[in-house]
């Protein structure tokens, strides 16, 4: 029998209490890591996008349109290389209403802007040889030939069990009606790319024709600029150009746009942090109380151990280890449970929920802090306990 | 040179604002191989004297040399190490750890011996239990043993690390006559056969008869 065995034996003497304490730490860490996962996901969404591209949207709100005519005017601004249209579609899959995925209508300018991010990895071949517009990926011939074409992310294709060439139906929400889309391509993220592979991209002219009566209302313009260091003056110039129009614009880097998009959630990150810390603090108090009770019950035994020659430091270490084992066991279980339980959970327009390794490590670190702090008071008390007081004999 | 040299020891406990003198200038020598009984009424200071000799408490004043060490000057950590090396303690209420088996209880002092392998610890603990007649009760928990057997496990725990001095605080105080007799025979054997120096606190004159010398305490001083 070694010191660790002695610690484990002590933990097992009231296994119901030990299990309940481990369970409470586990639940706390599960909540902490799950909430941390939501924060990680929000951060990932905010960090997506490039500093080398700009996004122009309606200054009032992301839900307000910009006129299609702005595209050419923005393109005329010196330093702007290309202007693409990207519209949120927001339809639902009637076969799978609980599983949401993002869809965007994009114009042909979109694709050359994202060649460093996206790669067409599967495609359908048109029945006859067709050419693609200049500057486009030659594998997108079918996409440009059929108006209801869409290109889906490899992750989405796998998740939905779809296959290349399949025609899928979506139920429109912003643009009502049943919408047919033919999967004419599959994209994958390139290493270091800023896009996600769980989305669907389709032709803006299809949306315009069927959903807007031929008019062009644009949600966001994406701008490729020649010199990223000039992004600020370019953005300022664009916004100044539309300052007194019916639809004033707000131009910012694509990354800032992503962060602004996440800010629509209000101060949810702050609330999540507060809730997470409150839970952890509560469990810290419960753990400390349990450890104090467990150690006080053994006052006499601590006196005996010290009489046998166990030093104050050894007793301190033993009690602290007990608390650490409880907290570490519960912490690891809670963190792993959170990692497994929330992996891939859908948060709507945000990327699939994931718990980052840094959150797991932080969670386990917090569990150890719970162990250390909750064990500190009883460990100090036990180490300072005088043998004669512990044995309660002064005859 | 005496194994235990107690010189003009005073011990005063403080209860709130009140000072309670327990030992008042007591002096005593105990030779190696001796078997000494300390007797006296409740509150006479015999357990306090035992605790001071065993280094579990510190004197208020006076000199206390045990096994060649001035233990009153040792710090907490050094005193713990000294206790592990030199003292085997036997309590009236056995004070076994209830969640450990007899073997594990006896192993406890050996956990403090640096470099001793687990196998050797188990073997030495089993041998100690064999000496006290409990070789067939290694895996029994204290609740599965009688009072006499529990005290024998406690004695095995006290002797397993081969300490210089055995201190017994009313070792038969909680036992029936037969079990008490067995314990006294065992202590006599440890003294005569294994040459252990024993200091025993007792109320029982019958138990005290087994000692070579009996000291009576009264109000913190030796009365004989």
């Amino acid at each position: 029998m070694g010191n660790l065995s002695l610690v484990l034996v002590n933990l097992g003497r009231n296994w119901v209490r030990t299990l309940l304490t481990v369970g409470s730490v586990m639940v706390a860490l599960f909540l902490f890591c799950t909430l941390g996962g939501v924060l990680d996901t929000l951060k990932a969404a905010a960090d997506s996008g490039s500093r080398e591209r700009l996004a122009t949207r309606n200054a009032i709100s992301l839900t307000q349109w910009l006129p299609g005519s702005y595209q050419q005017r923005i393109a005329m601004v010196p330093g702007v290389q290309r202007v693409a249209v990207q519209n949120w579609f927001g339809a639902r899959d009637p076969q799978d209403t609980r599983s949401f995925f993002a869809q965007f209508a994009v114009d042909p300018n979109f694709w050359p802007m994202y060649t460093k991010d996206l790669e067409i990895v599967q495609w359908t071949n048109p029945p006859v040889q067709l050419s693609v517009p200049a500057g486009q990926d030659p594998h997108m011939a079918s996409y440009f030939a059929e108006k209801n074409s869409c290109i889906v992310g490899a992750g989405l294709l796998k998740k939905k069990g779809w296959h290349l060439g399949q025609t899928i139906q979506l139920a429109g929400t912003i643009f009502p009606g049943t919408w047919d889309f033919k999967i004419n391509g599959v994209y994958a993220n390139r290493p270091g790319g800023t896009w996600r592979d769980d989305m669907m991209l389709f032709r803006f002219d299809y949306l315009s024709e069927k959903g807007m009566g031929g008019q062009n209302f644009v949600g966001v313009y994406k701008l490729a600029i020649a010199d990223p260091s000039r992004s600020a003056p370019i953005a300022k110039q664009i916004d100044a150009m539309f300052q007194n129009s019916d639809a004033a614009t707000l131009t910012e880097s694509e990354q800032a746009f992503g962060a602004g998009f996440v800010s629509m959630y209000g101060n949810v990150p702050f609330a999540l942090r507060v809730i997470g810390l409150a839970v952890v603090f509560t469990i810290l108090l419960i753990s400390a109380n349990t450890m104090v009770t467990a150690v006080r019950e053994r006052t006499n035994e601590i006196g005996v151990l010290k009489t046998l020659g166990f030093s104050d430091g050894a007793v301190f270490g033993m009690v602290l280890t007990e608390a650490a084992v409880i907290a570490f066991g519960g912490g690891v279980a809670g963190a792993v449970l959170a990692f497994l339980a929330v992996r891939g959970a859908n948060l709507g327009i945000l990327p699939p929920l994931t718990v980052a390794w840094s959150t797991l490590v932080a969670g386990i670190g917090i569990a150890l802090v719970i162990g250390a702090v909750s064990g500190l008071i009883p460990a100090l008390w036990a180490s300072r306990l005088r043998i004669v007081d512990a044995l309660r004999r002064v005859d | 040179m005496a194994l235990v040299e107690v010189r003009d020891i005073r011990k005063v406990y403080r209860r709130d604002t009140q000072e309670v003198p327990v030992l008042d200038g007591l002096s005593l020598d105990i030779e190696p191989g001796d078997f000494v009984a300390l007797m006296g009424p409740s509150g006479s200071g015999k357990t306090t004297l035992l605790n001071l000799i065993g280094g579990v408490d510190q004197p208020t004043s006076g000199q206390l040399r045990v096994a060649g060490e001035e233990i009153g000057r040792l710090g907490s950590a050094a005193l713990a190490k000294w206790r592990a090396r030199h003292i085997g303690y036997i309590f009236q209420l056995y004070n076994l750890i209830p969640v450990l088996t007899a073997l594990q209880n006896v192993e406890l002092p050996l956990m403090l011996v640096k470099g001793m392998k687990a196998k050797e610890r188990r073997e030495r603990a089993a041998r100690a239990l064999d000496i006290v007649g409990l070789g067939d009760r290694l895996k029994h928990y204290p609740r599965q043993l009688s009072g006499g057997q529990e005290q024998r496990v406690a004695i095995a725990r006290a002797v397993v690390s081969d300490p210089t001095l055995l201190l017994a605080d009313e070792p038969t105080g909680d036992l029936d006559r037969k079990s008490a007799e067995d314990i006294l025979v065992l202590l006599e054997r440890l003294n005569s056969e294994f040459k252990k120096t024993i200091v025993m606190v007792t109320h029982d004159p019958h138990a005290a008869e087994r000692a070579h010398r009996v000291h009576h305490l009264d109000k913190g001083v030796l009365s004989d």
Side-chain angles (χ1 to χ4, degrees), chain A residues 24-101:
Chain A
S24 62
V25 176
M26 186 180 81
V27 170
L29 264 294
F30 173 79
L31 279 174
F32 179 85
C33 289
T34 305
L35 296 176
V38 175
L39 290 174
D40 291 339
T41 308
L42 288 172
K43 188 172 181 300
D47 288 347
S48 66
S50 165
R51 291 175 191 275
E52 297 175 358
R53 284 187 291 264
L54 296 178
T56 300
R57 64 174 174 90
N58 192 302
I60 296 170
S61 159
L62 196 56
T63 58
Q64 303 287 315
W65 301 115
L66 290 173
S69 59
Y70 280 17
Q71 186 170 19
Q72 279 194 336
R73 293 178 66 187
I74 294 171
M76 300 290 286
V77 172
V80 175
Q81 285 183 319
R82 196 184 288 267
V83 182
V85 168
Q86 183 183 314
N87 265 31
W88 175 255
F89 186 53
R92 300 266 169 182
D93 178 1
Q95 306 292 323
D96 184 12
T97 52
R98 295 185 65 185
S99 167
F100 182 81
F101 61 95

Side-chain angles (χ1 to χ4, degrees), chain A residues 282-326:
Chain A
T282 307
I283 294 307
L284 176 67
L285 296 181
I286 292 172
S287 264
N289 184 49
T290 306
M291 282 309 299
V292 167
T293 308
V295 173
R296 279 192 180 272
E297 282 174 1
R298 303 205 307 267
T299 301
N300 184 266
E301 289 175 25
I302 289 165
V304 172
L305 288 177
K306 288 190 173 187
T307 306
L308 295 180
F310 283 78
S311 66
D312 295 346
V315 171
F316 179 89
M318 219 176 280
V319 174
L320 204 61
T321 307
E322 276 182 45
V325 168
I326 287 178

Side-chain angles (χ1 to χ4, degrees), chain A residues 256-277:
Chain A
F257 172 75
F261 189 65
V262 168
S263 74
M264 289 196 304
Y265 278 83
N267 218 347
V268 169
F270 175 75
L272 293 182
R273 280 196 189 95
V274 169
I275 293 168
L277 289 174

Side-chain angles (χ1 to χ4, degrees), chain A residues 62-236:
Chain A
L62 196 56
T63 58
Q64 303 287 315
W65 301 115
L66 290 173
S69 59
Y70 280 17
Q71 186 170 19
Q72 279 194 336
R73 293 178 66 187
I74 294 171
M76 300 290 286
V77 172
V80 175
Q81 285 183 319
R82 196 184 288 267
V83 182
V85 168
Q86 183 183 314
N87 265 31
W88 175 255
F89 186 53
R92 300 266 169 182
D93 178 1
Q95 306 292 323
D96 184 12
T97 52
R98 295 185 65 185
S99 167
F100 182 81
F101 61 95
Q103 313 107 35
F104 292 100
V106 296
D107 73 349
N109 279 348
F110 173 88
W111 299 101
M113 280 172 63
Y114 285 91
T115 48
K116 284 184 185 172
D117 299 73
L118 306 178
E119 180 184 14
I120 306 298
V121 290
Q122 292 180 55
W123 57 89
T124 55
N125 289 312
V128 292
Q129 184 121 15
L130 295 170
S131 60
V132 295
Q136 300 291 353
D137 187 327
H139 299 130
M140 295 175 72
S142 291
Y143 174 81
F144 286 112
E146 294 178 86
K147 192 165 274 185
N148 69 339
S149 290
C150 70
I151 293 182
V152 300
L156 180 63
L157 187 86
K158 187 179 173 191
K159 184 180 169 190
K160 289 286 194 179
W162 292 337
H163 57 83
L164 196 64
Q166 181 180 351
T167 297
I168 57 169
Q169 273 195 342
L170 298 182
T173 53
I174 305 169
F175 305 97
T178 302
W179 293 71
D180 290 333
F181 294 98
K182 186 180 176 194
I183 303 172
N184 273 327
V186 177
Y187 73 82
N189 281 327
R190 288 186 192 277
T194 59
W195 209 254
R196 287 159 42 195
D197 74 347
D198 59 346
M199 298 183 179
M200 181 183 121
L201 302 164
F202 67 97
R203 289 175 51 162
F204 178 72
D205 55 352
Y206 181 41
L207 173 65
S208 170
E209 186 178 299
K210 187 175 173 182
M212 301 175 178
Q215 297 188 70
N216 291 341
F217 300 115
V218 177
V220 181
Y221 287 110
K222 291 290 182 75
L223 284 61
I225 50 176
D227 180 5
S229 68
R230 290 201 62 244
S231 59
I234 291 172
K236 202 171 172 184

